[in-house]
Amino acid sequence: MSGEDTSFVIDEVSNIIKDTIERIIGGNSYQHNKVNRWTADIVDHVLTELTKLGKPFKYIVQAVIMQKNGAGLHTASSCYWDNTTDGSCTVRMCGRFACGLAPDVVRRLSTYMNSQTQETTLPPFIDLMSSTQPFRASWNLSPTSTCLCLISAKHLDETEDSATRVLCSMRWSLVPHYHRGNLAEYKPILNNCRVETIEEKPTFKVPFQNGKRCVILAEGFFEWKKNVAKTPYFIYETEPFIHEKHYPNIDAENVLEKIKQENPDKLPFLAMAGIFDINRYCETDPLYSCTICTVDASETMLNVHIRMPAILITQQEIDQWLDFGRYDTEKVLPLLEPRDDIQMYRVSASIGSTKTNEINNIRPLTIDQNSKIISSNRTTLDSFVIRQESSSQYLSEPILKKTKKSPGKRGQSSIEDYMLKDTTSSGKRFKK
C-alpha cells in the first residue's frame, strides 16, 4: 500500500463526522426521548464509514450530546478492531448491583468462623464514608455510590490478625492513592478491574500487591442481555430474601440458621472479589474506594454477557482472599475464575435509570399469556422505606478483643478507636 493509502487524513475523517451529524440530527432541537438513539446512531455510522476507508487503524468513537443550558448530557462510545490482527477488546460490565439490606443486617449475615481462633465472630461495622457519602441501602447501586465491603482488620489496626474481618463502607469506583486534587476532577470510572491485567496496570497492581483485597457484598447484580435492547437480568448466587418477613429488616439469625440446615457451605449473599486503595490527598478524611474484579463469563453467564464478577462461593475462599498475611497474590489468583453457581431472571427495564430505587428492581418480571409485561406488586410500605437505625446499634456489644497498641507506632488507630470515636469529620484524621 502507498503512503497515502495508510496515512490518517484529518479532513477525510472530519467530513465523515460532519456528514453523519447532519444526516442524523440535522436541524433538530434537543429532544430527551430521542437523544440516546442519536448518540448510538452517530457512533455506529461513523465507525461504519471509517472502516470502509480500509486504513490500518483501530478506531474509538465517542459521541456527546449536551443541552445548551447543561441540563441534559448523553454519551455513547464504541470501537473497531480486526480480530485477525489485533488482540483483545476490553468490555466493561454495565455496573449495577443491589444491596437493599441495612448495614446491621449485612453485618449479622457476615458472621464467620475465624480461621485462627476457631470462634464464631461477628464483624464490626465501620463507616469509612461517614463524612463524605454514608452508605444507603439501595436496589440500584451504580458506580461512585457507597457500597459495603469486608476487609482484613489489619488494614485499619496493625495489632489485629490479618484473619480478622471488618465490615466497612467504601466508594465503588477506585480512586488511586496517587491522585491529587479534588475528587470531582478525577474522571475515570474504575468500577471494574480485569483479572487478566490486574498485575500489569499500576492503578490495580500496586494495591493488589500490597494486599488491599476486599469482598464487595450484594444481593445480586444486574446485567443487560447482549444484542437485546433494554432486557436486564438480575443475577444472584443465593436467592434474595424478598420473601422473608419484614424484608429488608429481616431476622439475620433466623436466615443463617435456615441456610445452615439446608446447605452449610452456602453464603447468604453474593460475595464479589475486589481490590481497594486509600487516597490521602482528599480535602477531609482519607478516601477508601474499591473496584470489582471481573473474569470471562461462565457457560451460564454467557447467555447474558461475556464478562462477570469474580465470585467467591465459600467462607474458606473469603478467608484466603482477605487474609493477605497468609495468602500472597500467587495463592489467591486461582480463586478468581468463572462460576456457574449462579441463577438469574429477567427484571423490569426501569432499572436502567439510576433514580429508580425500589424492591421491585429485584423482583422477577412476569409476562401474561398475551405477552404483556406485568410489574410485580408492591406488598408493603417496606418497598419504599428502610428503617434508619441509630449507629449505636453497632456498639452494643464488644466485638473484638482489646489489645494494646504496639510501642513506637505513633498515630496508629485501633479498631476500638474507629468504632468509639466521634464521627465528626476531621482534617487531621489518619494524617501523619
Side-chain angles (χ1 to χ4, degrees):
M1 298 178 70
S2 64
E4 184 176 347
D5 292 332
T6 59
S7 62
F8 186 87
V9 183
I10 296 178
D11 290 339
E12 196 174 41
V13 175
S14 296
N15 289 334
I16 289 176
I17 295 173
K18 291 176 182 177
D19 291 345
T20 300
I21 294 175
E22 182 62 29
R23 173 182 173 181
I24 295 175
I25 299 180
N28 290 313
S29 59
Y30 184 91
Q31 298 178 55
H32 181 77
N33 61 335
K34 292 184 178 181
V35 74
N36 282 333
R37 183 73 265 168
W38 287 345
T39 54
D41 288 345
I42 289 172
V43 167
D44 182 68
H45 190 266
V46 169
L47 269 180
T48 301
E49 295 303 310
L50 288 174
T51 55
K52 288 180 180 179
L53 297 177
K55 301 292 182 74
F57 298 115
K58 302 178 182 68
Y59 298 105
I60 298 176
V61 178
Q62 184 170 35
V64 179
I65 297 179
M66 184 170 65
Q67 198 172 359
K68 281 187 177 181
N69 62 8
L73 177 64
H74 300 259
T75 66
S77 63
S78 189
C79 58
Y80 166 82
W81 72 99
D82 187 345
N83 285 327
T84 60
T85 58
D86 297 335
S88 59
C89 172
T90 297
V91 179
R92 185 178 296 276
M93 297 189 65
C94 290
R96 301 283 180 81
F97 66 86
C99 187
L101 303 172
D104 189 56
V105 175
V106 176
R107 168 181 170 245
R108 295 184 184 282
L109 290 176
S110 300
T111 301
Y112 68 104
M113 180 71 73
N114 189 300
S115 61
Q116 301 307 303
T117 65
Q118 298 303 310
E119 296 178 350
T120 300
T121 308
L122 184 65
F125 171 65
I126 300 174
D127 193 353
L128 297 175
M129 298 287 289
S130 61
S131 63
T132 52
Q133 188 178 340
F135 173 77
R136 293 182 61 188
S138 173
W139 294 279
N140 194 354
L141 278 163
S142 58
T144 73
S145 299
T146 299
C147 63
L148 295 179
C149 303
L150 289 173
I151 63 173
S152 168
K154 197 172 184 65
H155 289 299
L156 303 178
D157 183 351
E158 291 186 359
T159 65
E160 290 292 337
D161 190 280
S162 57
T164 303
R165 303 178 191 175
V166 169
L167 177 68
C168 60
S169 58
M170 286 194 193
R171 179 185 194 264
W172 177 35
S173 186
L174 190 139
V175 178
H177 61 278
Y178 53 78
H179 171 68
R180 293 174 180 265
N182 193 292
L183 181 60
E185 298 172 356
Y186 190 73
K187 299 303 181 183
I189 303 297
L190 304 178
N191 57 302
N192 296 151
C193 166
R194 292 174 64 92
V195 171
E196 296 87 339
T197 57
I198 195 172
E199 294 188 291
E200 298 173 9
K201 298 183 178 181
T203 299
F204 304 129
K205 178 181 179 180
V206 174
F208 182 58
Q209 290 185 337
N210 289 335
K212 290 186 172 66
R213 308 193 292 255
C214 62
V215 175
I216 296 94
L217 304 179
E219 294 176 83
F221 66 96
F222 300 97
E223 195 53 79
W224 278 253
K225 190 173 179 64
K226 58 187 178 181
N227 302 324
V228 180
K230 297 182 179 179
T231 308
Y233 282 78
F234 183 67
I235 302 154
Y236 58 94
E237 204 268 329
T238 296
E239 186 174 357
F241 305 118
I242 51 178
H243 302 299
E244 287 289 326
K245 188 176 181 180
H246 303 309
Y247 179 87
N249 301 293
I250 62 175
D251 185 340
E253 285 74 16
N254 184 46
V255 169
L256 289 175
E257 186 60 32
K258 288 181 181 178
I259 294 176
K260 184 178 180 181
Q261 293 176 2
E262 296 172 4
N263 188 348
D265 295 327
K266 196 173 187 64
L267 296 174
F269 38 61
L270 183 73
M272 298 178 285
I275 56 176
F276 72 95
D277 209 346
I278 309 171
N279 186 295
R280 301 185 185 278
Y281 300 109
C282 294
E283 296 84 351
T284 55
D285 296 341
L287 176 67
Y288 287 74
S289 60
C290 63
T291 184
I292 296 174
C293 299
T294 65
V295 295
D296 286 334
S298 63
E299 185 176 348
T300 302
M301 186 65 194
L302 274 174
N303 294 318
V304 177
H305 201 272
I306 63 173
R307 300 288 294 178
M308 69 183 298
I311 300 172
L312 305 174
I313 60 175
T314 66
Q315 290 288 0
Q316 183 179 11
E317 289 184 351
I318 294 179
D319 277 337
Q320 294 174 3
W321 181 251
L322 295 181
D323 191 350
F324 66 96
R326 295 178 178 84
Y327 300 92
D328 58 22
T329 56
E330 292 184 2
K331 291 180 180 178
V332 298
L333 271 177
L335 296 174
L336 310 183
E337 59 181 5
R339 303 284 191 174
D340 269 319
D341 304 74
I342 56 172
Q343 301 179 64
M344 64 183 72
Y345 50 74
R346 187 177 170 185
V347 292
S348 171
S350 62
I351 189 65
S353 171
T354 56
K355 296 179 181 179
T356 305
N357 177 26
E358 57 183 46
I359 293 178
N360 281 344
N361 288 355
I362 62 173
R363 294 190 191 279
L365 192 68
T366 57
I367 303 177
D368 67 7
Q369 293 180 349
N370 297 319
S371 298
K372 293 181 179 179
I373 295 176
I374 303 174
S375 298
S376 302
N377 293 325
R378 296 182 174 91
T379 56
T380 68
L381 189 60
D382 285 341
S383 299
F384 304 93
V385 180
I386 298 175
R387 299 174 191 168
Q388 297 298 317
E389 304 285 354
S390 168
S391 60
S392 63
Q393 64 182 305
Y394 307 123
L395 311 179
S396 59
E397 53 187 295
I399 307 298
L400 298 176
K401 63 183 183 305
K402 293 191 175 182
T403 57
K404 295 182 179 180
K405 297 181 181 179
S406 300
K409 300 202 175 199
R410 298 178 60 186
Q412 177 65 52
S413 299
S414 68
I415 292 295
E416 287 81 358
D417 292 333
Y418 278 91
M419 296 175 64
L420 300 176
K421 64 196 248 313
D422 186 0
T423 56
T424 303
S425 174
S426 170
K428 297 181 180 180
R429 185 179 168 196
F430 298 97
K431 301 289 178 70
K432 292 185 177 180

